[in-house]
Amino acid sequence: MARQAPDAGGLLLRLHTGATLVFLYAPIVVLVVFSFTSDSFGVRWTGFTLQWYERLFRDERLIGATLNTLLVATISTVIATVIGTMLAFAMERYRFRGRTGLEALLYVPIVIPEIVMALALLGFFALAFGLIDAWFGVRPVMGLATVIIAHVAFTISFVVVVVRTSLKSFDLRLEEAAADLGADPWQTFRHITLPLILPGIIGGALLGFTLSLDDFIITFFTTGPGTSLLPVEVYGQVKRAITPKINALSTLMLVASITLVFLSQFVQRRGRTA
Amino acid sequence: MKPAIELRSAVKRFGGVTAVDNVSLTIGDGEFFSLLGPSGCGKTTTLRMIAGFEFPDAGDILLHGTSIGTTPPHQRRVNTVFQSYALFPHMTVAGNIGFGLEMQRIAPTERERRVREALELVRLADYGERWPRQLSGGQQQRVALARALINRPEVLLLDEPLGALDQKLRKEMQLELKRMQERVGITFIFVTHDQEEALSMSDRIAVMHHGRVLQIGTPTAIYERPNCRFVADFIGDTNFLDGRITASHAGHAVITTDDGLVITGASDRSLTIGSTATVSLRPEKARLTIDVPPGDIANCFATTVDRVDYIGSDTRMLVRIGSERTVSVWEQNNRSTLDRDAYWQPGEAGYLWWPAENGLVLAE
């Protein structure tokens, strides 16, 4: 088909599209560009440098916070994925009393404001710690463990939603066929069900991981003194002074999350074709 | 020898619906046995109970004399070919076929050999490394068959396995299935709603309706001597001539219809005079001639031809007796291809006749 010269409407449409893309991506591009500027306030381009990356790797607080964040995200994702997958099976495969109620409850963490969830968790920990103190005489303190518990609590719902989607499209006759061919329930799960819904589980896990990684509000409320996690730490540093070090850190996180997304798509596509 | 499968008063209910209602069956070793009936008649539920996907609410199922009523499916030496094939999409053809042996922990070398044999049995020797979705419907069907047969089951269950295939392929697979069954000598229990398929393939057929078995018999018995109106109607085509019994003697009964026709038919039971009954007359068992037939024919009526449908091998006609009643009669086109005058035309008058034993009297 011959390309036509755009009319006024077409021109407007292109302009609109271009403006939207600039609006969405310009801040990110600026962020990445200024991670390489030699200007120490990171607001002007004064020449190329890698010094902010260098300084980033020498900043033990930031590195420590990053490791903590990765640790929290990994542990909470594993726990949330296992529990969430089991929940998804229960919801999808069985009819039981209170199933509708549970269904509604599961969606609550997704829809309520995060600050409410954060305050609720804070209240819960205060109450739980008080009870533990009263019964056992030890008072636990807020720290990595409480952050992990909090993250598990708010990511489970997301895992359930994603895993249920892949369970819905699963053909139950395949499980009957496996049983018919001599596979016991565990073998059926391991050889048939799990491999076929694995892309969904990985999708749910990656979503949970990403949510945990950059969560600020819940983390802020459930962490304790001396335990720093990346979003909170970055917030603290930015409050004092914005340096291109933060830009460098953001750029690295951007690269890492893009890699993760591509990886998950790759895994899911393989899951479909294999 | 114990029968391959025995159902003893098996009952299965789903909520308030009785899907299988007191079914008793005995299926012999090496038999090709069909469960035939319209959808919802309980044939698939019966098969699923034998497979172990459903447990009977009452009664029992025996596999070569051993009760398996509550045995889970993976512990039954029974395999199923599913209607949708249910091939594992994440495994190759060879992986699918070898799955049963893998579950039995058969050594890989032995497994490979038997998978190769099974692939050859279903003529898919070069397809082992393909994925199920790369195969045609007919090929997937053969993989499903190989996947079940490789386990050397005591009984093979087939749930409308040809339902998804087109007509031509279906006929081919019917022949192939039958040949394969004769070759491997395994008892086949075949579920179908296609009466022609059941008639051509089975040693015996059970006709089911509303969860009950109405009649069990050879294809000829089912077609020629149906024991009730439903079976006569479901298998093949037939005319029903309803009336009341006016005479009943050895092997025959006479019924009189509301419009006054007196019809003699075969009956293996003695029937009460005055009770309602029907004569089932298959369209190919009556004849239509211009003149009165010679000799003493039990049933002969003057008719006019109402409609003529030429369908190649047959001519199917609807003829009228009196003012209200129409009867369908089929005539084989076995005359010379040039003899064009030999065909009936609508409006022509003639005689419809059939010997007493060509119609079957069924009590209502």
Side-chain angles (χ1 to χ4, degrees), chain B residues 117-118 120-123 149 176-186 188:
Chain B
E117 275 175 19
E120 276 162 24
L121 179 74
V122 296
R123 299 185 289 115
L149 280 176
E176 193 165 328
L177 264 184
K178 184 72 188 157
R179 261 205 305 271
M180 203 164 293
Q181 194 255 346
E182 280 156 8
R183 198 161 139 197
V184 296
I186 292 172
F188 275 34

Side-chain angles (χ1 to χ4, degrees), chain A residues 171 173-185 187-188 191-193 195-196 271-274, chain B residues 48 51 53 73-74 78-80 82 84 86-91 99-100 102-103 105 131 133 147 151:
Chain A
D171 183 359
R173 280 167 300 196
L174 295 178
E175 289 185 359
E176 284 186 349
D180 188 72
L181 293 166
D184 61 38
Q187 288 172 316
T188 301
H191 294 288
I192 306 300
T193 318
L196 285 171
R272 267 198 298 280
T273 50
Chain B
R48 288 174 60 82
F53 304 138
H74 65 277
V78 163
N79 288 113
T80 309
F82 292 84
S84 54
L87 299 180
F88 306 130
H90 61 303
M91 295 183 190
F99 186 78
E102 200 185 327
M103 292 304 105
R105 306 196 194 290
W131 298 99
R133 73 193 133 75
R147 184 177 71 172
N151 306 295

Side-chain angles (χ1 to χ4, degrees), chain A residues 131-139:
Chain A
L131 285 176
I132 291 170
D133 193 12
W135 291 338
F136 305 104
V138 253
R139 186 159 188 103

